[in-house]
Amino acid sequence: MSDGNQLSAMRHLVVLMLENRSFDHLLGFLYTDQGNVSASGQPYEGLTGTESNPDNQGQPVKVSRIQPTDPHAYFTPGANPGEGYRPTNAQLFGSLTPPSPPTATMNGFVTNFADTLVLRAQQVKRNPPGHRPTIIPGTTDADIMRCHTPASLPVLSALAGGYAVCDHWFSPAPTETMPNRAFACAGTSQGHMDDHTHTFTCPSIFGLLSGQGIDWKVYGNVNDPLTRGNFPDIHSATADHFGVFTDFQTAAGAGALPAFTFLEPSWEATGSSEHPVNDVAKGERFIQQVYRALRDSPAWDSTLLIITYDEHGGCYDHVPPPATATAPGDGTAGEFGFDFGRFGVRVPTVLVSPLIDRGIVFRAAGNATPLDHTSILKTLEERWSLPALTRRDAAATGLGDVLTLTTPRTDDVLANVTAPAPAAVDPNAGEISHLQQIHADLVARQLVPGPHDLYRPLPAEPTPEAYDAFIRAHTE
């Protein structure tokens, strides 16, 4: 039965934020074969299969479906696409500099990927071992238009169809990882628009919750979480606020999760983050493990799980981001002259709770602010009567209206779903991932607490194993 917003019934909000995939790339084909209408009869802004982008010769390259039996299906698009503010502009506008007004044509993905493939090939030649990006043999610019199907992503697709999928959820800023993760945790990136800055000086949701006596935890995967080094109020938090994934599973099994849980995948190039060109099958298995820990928890009936991705990572999407964003208003000027008045590209977001009906397409209503990562902050603020961190999350739309059932569902949408098997040989083996480098840098600068060494030089050996051992040694 349903009776409006049931947010007050939620005692646990859990966020799993993965890496660098666009909405169309992972969920664009979710309802294509049903005429882009969900199981509940709601319209869905997915792919029709006719969308295209021009290549460097002006010839259209149509979207195509990734099937699980395709060669390198889970390593598509085959190389890391262009990231950051300028490459995103190229993808949205066909130019490194946005026009005025910034009307996105969404026609620059193929040409930007072609340019990026040239850059990646140059990096392979000039970079030292451990820092040479993976390029799957045979990768072409057309591969950026390949998008997954429900058959290739059975776990994410079953959750999206079995609960609620947000088809108008945008990354907060048209750029790469760290600024968007900062918006998710603090409602601002303090003007930063690239990953060169991965520490911030502003208050975060973690400090806000602590100040109100509300418990929270951040879980890394096998190491202390990267997020621990991002903000002063989380850096200074006591050790009981942090753990690894097995700790999360134990807490969930005991019904002992806090009000807010923030989960990280494994950041290695062979890990579960889904950052291109990581093995997406490993991400599928990780999502399934998170769901299973919560679904089997005694606190399942009062839990809301949000599965999202920090930014699109250069992967194709056909929906122009709105230019209706509210600037954080924290007095910081945006890099590259950006005013934070428009959103980044759509990212996949799935909402999971036994108080959500099946087959829901959830968007902001009417003229309300479109959903983005600050909707997570807004939901926490509405649930626990917290003040906003910035103007951005003050203006955000919360997620409470997706919770309409008063009687929790008892079905298990993944009961008969098998996650795809990871590749027997991972082509990324030997590469130090971008996020692993950031994590190691935070540890080296002692922004992640650990033994109080005076100096922590980064490993001289450029291998992911050496970086992992370095992070572990200084944080355990």
PDB file of all heavy atoms in Angstrom, residues 33 79 108 144 153 166 179 181 202 204 207 248 277 286 303 310 312 395 412 425:
ATOM      1  N   ASP A  33      13.424  -1.676 -25.509  1.00  0.00           N
ATOM      2  CA  ASP A  33      12.570  -2.686 -26.134  1.00  0.00           C
ATOM      3  C   ASP A  33      11.121  -2.615 -25.660  1.00  0.00           C
ATOM      4  O   ASP A  33      10.250  -3.298 -26.211  1.00  0.00           O
ATOM      5  CB  ASP A  33      13.135  -4.086 -25.862  1.00  0.00           C
ATOM      6  CG  ASP A  33      14.481  -4.306 -26.548  1.00  0.00           C
ATOM      7  OD1 ASP A  33      14.804  -3.542 -27.481  1.00  0.00           O
ATOM      8  OD2 ASP A  33      15.212  -5.226 -26.137  1.00  0.00           O
ATOM      9  N   ALA A  79      39.420   2.375 -23.865  1.00  0.00           N
ATOM     10  CA  ALA A  79      40.458   3.284 -23.383  1.00  0.00           C
ATOM     11  C   ALA A  79      39.769   4.332 -22.514  1.00  0.00           C
ATOM     12  O   ALA A  79      38.558   4.546 -22.629  1.00  0.00           O
ATOM     13  CB  ALA A  79      41.216   3.944 -24.527  1.00  0.00           C
ATOM     14  N   GLY A 108      29.898  15.869 -29.660  1.00  0.00           N
ATOM     15  CA  GLY A 108      31.350  15.849 -29.721  1.00  0.00           C
ATOM     16  C   GLY A 108      32.011  14.642 -29.098  1.00  0.00           C
ATOM     17  O   GLY A 108      33.244  14.622 -28.931  1.00  0.00           O
ATOM     18  N   ILE A 144      33.061   4.678 -28.371  1.00  0.00           N
ATOM     19  CA  ILE A 144      32.466   5.545 -27.355  1.00  0.00           C
ATOM     20  C   ILE A 144      30.942   5.549 -27.470  1.00  0.00           C
ATOM     21  O   ILE A 144      30.244   5.938 -26.526  1.00  0.00           O
ATOM     22  CB  ILE A 144      33.021   6.981 -27.472  1.00  0.00           C
ATOM     23  CG1 ILE A 144      32.861   7.737 -26.138  1.00  0.00           C
ATOM     24  CG2 ILE A 144      32.364   7.743 -28.606  1.00  0.00           C
ATOM     25  CD1 ILE A 144      33.672   7.191 -25.007  1.00  0.00           C
ATOM     26  N   LEU A 153      24.469  -6.076 -18.198  1.00  0.00           N
ATOM     27  CA  LEU A 153      24.524  -5.590 -16.812  1.00  0.00           C
ATOM     28  C   LEU A 153      23.310  -6.111 -16.048  1.00  0.00           C
ATOM     29  O   LEU A 153      22.401  -5.358 -15.682  1.00  0.00           O
ATOM     30  CB  LEU A 153      24.540  -4.061 -16.772  1.00  0.00           C
ATOM     31  CG  LEU A 153      25.720  -3.345 -17.434  1.00  0.00           C
ATOM     32  CD1 LEU A 153      25.608  -1.846 -17.241  1.00  0.00           C
ATOM     33  CD2 LEU A 153      27.053  -3.855 -16.875  1.00  0.00           C
ATOM     34  N   CYS A 166      16.753   6.831 -11.719  1.00  0.00           N
ATOM     35  CA  CYS A 166      16.664   8.288 -11.915  1.00  0.00           C
ATOM     36  C   CYS A 166      17.237   8.625 -13.285  1.00  0.00           C
ATOM     37  O   CYS A 166      18.458   8.554 -13.475  1.00  0.00           O
ATOM     38  CB  CYS A 166      17.434   9.014 -10.817  1.00  0.00           C
ATOM     39  SG  CYS A 166      16.865   8.639  -9.146  1.00  0.00           S
ATOM     40  N   PRO A 179      36.094  17.074  -7.913  1.00  0.00           N
ATOM     41  CA  PRO A 179      35.095  18.119  -7.682  1.00  0.00           C
ATOM     42  C   PRO A 179      33.687  17.563  -7.483  1.00  0.00           C
ATOM     43  O   PRO A 179      32.930  18.055  -6.636  1.00  0.00           O
ATOM     44  CB  PRO A 179      35.190  18.983  -8.943  1.00  0.00           C
ATOM     45  CG  PRO A 179      36.578  18.764  -9.446  1.00  0.00           C
ATOM     46  CD  PRO A 179      36.871  17.327  -9.152  1.00  0.00           C
ATOM     47  N   ARG A 181      32.832  14.528  -6.371  1.00  0.00           N
ATOM     48  CA  ARG A 181      32.760  13.869  -5.073  1.00  0.00           C
ATOM     49  C   ARG A 181      32.689  14.906  -3.943  1.00  0.00           C
ATOM     50  O   ARG A 181      32.027  14.685  -2.927  1.00  0.00           O
ATOM     51  CB  ARG A 181      33.935  12.915  -4.881  1.00  0.00           C
ATOM     52  CG  ARG A 181      33.776  11.644  -5.696  1.00  0.00           C
ATOM     53  CD  ARG A 181      34.871  10.609  -5.489  1.00  0.00           C
ATOM     54  NE  ARG A 181      34.464   9.371  -6.140  1.00  0.00           N
ATOM     55  CZ  ARG A 181      33.871   8.347  -5.544  1.00  0.00           C
ATOM     56  NH1 ARG A 181      33.635   8.400  -4.239  1.00  0.00           N
ATOM     57  NH2 ARG A 181      33.508   7.276  -6.216  1.00  0.00           N
ATOM     58  N   CYS A 202      36.533  23.147   3.417  1.00  0.00           N
ATOM     59  CA  CYS A 202      35.168  23.502   3.806  1.00  0.00           C
ATOM     60  C   CYS A 202      34.563  22.445   4.734  1.00  0.00           C
ATOM     61  O   CYS A 202      35.044  21.307   4.807  1.00  0.00           O
ATOM     62  CB  CYS A 202      34.304  23.635   2.559  1.00  0.00           C
ATOM     63  SG  CYS A 202      34.290  22.150   1.531  1.00  0.00           S
ATOM     64  N   SER A 204      31.982  19.532   5.805  1.00  0.00           N
ATOM     65  CA  SER A 204      31.375  18.449   5.037  1.00  0.00           C
ATOM     66  C   SER A 204      30.170  17.890   5.781  1.00  0.00           C
ATOM     67  O   SER A 204      29.905  18.230   6.941  1.00  0.00           O
ATOM     68  CB  SER A 204      32.390  17.334   4.793  1.00  0.00           C
ATOM     69  OG  SER A 204      32.591  16.574   5.991  1.00  0.00           O
ATOM     70  N   GLY A 207      31.116  16.261   9.245  1.00  0.00           N
ATOM     71  CA  GLY A 207      31.198  17.152  10.389  1.00  0.00           C
ATOM     72  C   GLY A 207      29.831  17.662  10.824  1.00  0.00           C
ATOM     73  O   GLY A 207      29.559  17.815  12.024  1.00  0.00           O
ATOM     74  N   PHE A 248      31.751  -3.318   6.889  1.00  0.00           N
ATOM     75  CA  PHE A 248      30.396  -2.943   6.469  1.00  0.00           C
ATOM     76  C   PHE A 248      29.482  -4.163   6.455  1.00  0.00           C
ATOM     77  O   PHE A 248      28.339  -4.098   6.954  1.00  0.00           O
ATOM     78  CB  PHE A 248      30.436  -2.309   5.086  1.00  0.00           C
ATOM     79  CG  PHE A 248      29.102  -2.214   4.406  1.00  0.00           C
ATOM     80  CD1 PHE A 248      28.181  -1.244   4.766  1.00  0.00           C
ATOM     81  CD2 PHE A 248      28.762  -3.114   3.399  1.00  0.00           C
ATOM     82  CE1 PHE A 248      26.939  -1.168   4.147  1.00  0.00           C
ATOM     83  CE2 PHE A 248      27.523  -3.042   2.769  1.00  0.00           C
ATOM     84  CZ  PHE A 248      26.609  -2.067   3.143  1.00  0.00           C
ATOM     85  N   VAL A 277      39.369   1.971 -18.108  1.00  0.00           N
ATOM     86  CA  VAL A 277      38.731   0.824 -18.695  1.00  0.00           C
ATOM     87  C   VAL A 277      38.753  -0.370 -17.749  1.00  0.00           C
ATOM     88  O   VAL A 277      39.044  -1.497 -18.149  1.00  0.00           O
ATOM     89  CB  VAL A 277      39.435   0.440 -20.010  1.00  0.00           C
ATOM     90  CG1 VAL A 277      39.107   1.407 -21.110  1.00  0.00           C
ATOM     91  CG2 VAL A 277      40.961   0.301 -19.849  1.00  0.00           C
ATOM     92  N   PHE A 286      30.371  -6.263  -7.165  1.00  0.00           N
ATOM     93  CA  PHE A 286      30.441  -5.445  -5.957  1.00  0.00           C
ATOM     94  C   PHE A 286      29.061  -4.873  -5.616  1.00  0.00           C
ATOM     95  O   PHE A 286      28.642  -4.879  -4.450  1.00  0.00           O
ATOM     96  CB  PHE A 286      31.468  -4.333  -6.136  1.00  0.00           C
ATOM     97  CG  PHE A 286      31.688  -3.489  -4.919  1.00  0.00           C
ATOM     98  CD1 PHE A 286      31.876  -4.071  -3.683  1.00  0.00           C
ATOM     99  CD2 PHE A 286      31.701  -2.109  -5.009  1.00  0.00           C
ATOM    100  CE1 PHE A 286      32.080  -3.296  -2.542  1.00  0.00           C
ATOM    101  CE2 PHE A 286      31.907  -1.326  -3.880  1.00  0.00           C
ATOM    102  CZ  PHE A 286      32.094  -1.915  -2.646  1.00  0.00           C
ATOM    103  N   THR A 303      16.014   0.964   5.379  1.00  0.00           N
ATOM    104  CA  THR A 303      17.256   1.327   4.677  1.00  0.00           C
ATOM    105  C   THR A 303      16.957   1.828   3.275  1.00  0.00           C
ATOM    106  O   THR A 303      16.144   1.246   2.547  1.00  0.00           O
ATOM    107  CB  THR A 303      18.199   0.112   4.599  1.00  0.00           C
ATOM    108  OG1 THR A 303      18.546  -0.307   5.925  1.00  0.00           O
ATOM    109  CG2 THR A 303      19.472   0.464   3.838  1.00  0.00           C
ATOM    110  N   ASP A 310      30.200   9.096  -9.855  1.00  0.00           N
ATOM    111  CA  ASP A 310      30.559  10.487  -9.555  1.00  0.00           C
ATOM    112  C   ASP A 310      30.466  11.402 -10.766  1.00  0.00           C
ATOM    113  O   ASP A 310      30.062  12.557 -10.643  1.00  0.00           O
ATOM    114  CB  ASP A 310      31.925  10.583  -8.878  1.00  0.00           C
ATOM    115  CG  ASP A 310      33.044   9.887  -9.611  1.00  0.00           C
ATOM    116  OD1 ASP A 310      32.964   9.728 -10.847  1.00  0.00           O
ATOM    117  OD2 ASP A 310      34.027   9.496  -8.951  1.00  0.00           O
ATOM    118  N   HIS A 312      30.539  11.357 -15.580  1.00  0.00           N
ATOM    119  CA  HIS A 312      30.312  10.526 -16.761  1.00  0.00           C
ATOM    120  C   HIS A 312      31.593   9.985 -17.365  1.00  0.00           C
ATOM    121  O   HIS A 312      31.566   9.038 -18.154  1.00  0.00           O
ATOM    122  CB  HIS A 312      29.533  11.309 -17.808  1.00  0.00           C
ATOM    123  CG  HIS A 312      30.356  12.275 -18.607  1.00  0.00           C
ATOM    124  ND1 HIS A 312      30.993  13.370 -18.037  1.00  0.00           N
ATOM    125  CD2 HIS A 312      30.669  12.309 -19.938  1.00  0.00           C
ATOM    126  CE1 HIS A 312      31.652  14.035 -18.975  1.00  0.00           C
ATOM    127  NE2 HIS A 312      31.464  13.419 -20.129  1.00  0.00           N
ATOM    128  N   ALA A 395      19.157  24.343  -2.306  1.00  0.00           N
ATOM    129  CA  ALA A 395      18.248  24.386  -3.457  1.00  0.00           C
ATOM    130  C   ALA A 395      17.965  23.012  -4.047  1.00  0.00           C
ATOM    131  O   ALA A 395      17.138  22.885  -4.955  1.00  0.00           O
ATOM    132  CB  ALA A 395      18.846  25.281  -4.543  1.00  0.00           C
ATOM    133  N   ASP A 412      12.764 -10.344  -3.526  1.00  0.00           N
ATOM    134  CA  ASP A 412      14.206 -10.177  -3.676  1.00  0.00           C
ATOM    135  C   ASP A 412      14.513 -10.110  -5.171  1.00  0.00           C
ATOM    136  O   ASP A 412      14.530 -11.124  -5.856  1.00  0.00           O
ATOM    137  CB  ASP A 412      14.940 -11.355  -3.036  1.00  0.00           C
ATOM    138  CG  ASP A 412      16.448 -11.230  -3.057  1.00  0.00           C
ATOM    139  OD1 ASP A 412      16.955 -10.330  -3.756  1.00  0.00           O
ATOM    140  OD2 ASP A 412      17.126 -12.034  -2.390  1.00  0.00           O
ATOM    141  N   VAL A 425      41.930 -12.746 -17.433  1.00  0.00           N
ATOM    142  CA  VAL A 425      43.155 -11.957 -17.493  1.00  0.00           C
ATOM    143  C   VAL A 425      42.745 -10.498 -17.609  1.00  0.00           C
ATOM    144  O   VAL A 425      42.061 -10.109 -18.562  1.00  0.00           O
ATOM    145  CB  VAL A 425      44.035 -12.362 -18.686  1.00  0.00           C
ATOM    146  CG1 VAL A 425      45.277 -11.475 -18.758  1.00  0.00           C
ATOM    147  CG2 VAL A 425      44.439 -13.828 -18.581  1.00  0.00           C
TER     148      VAL A 425
END
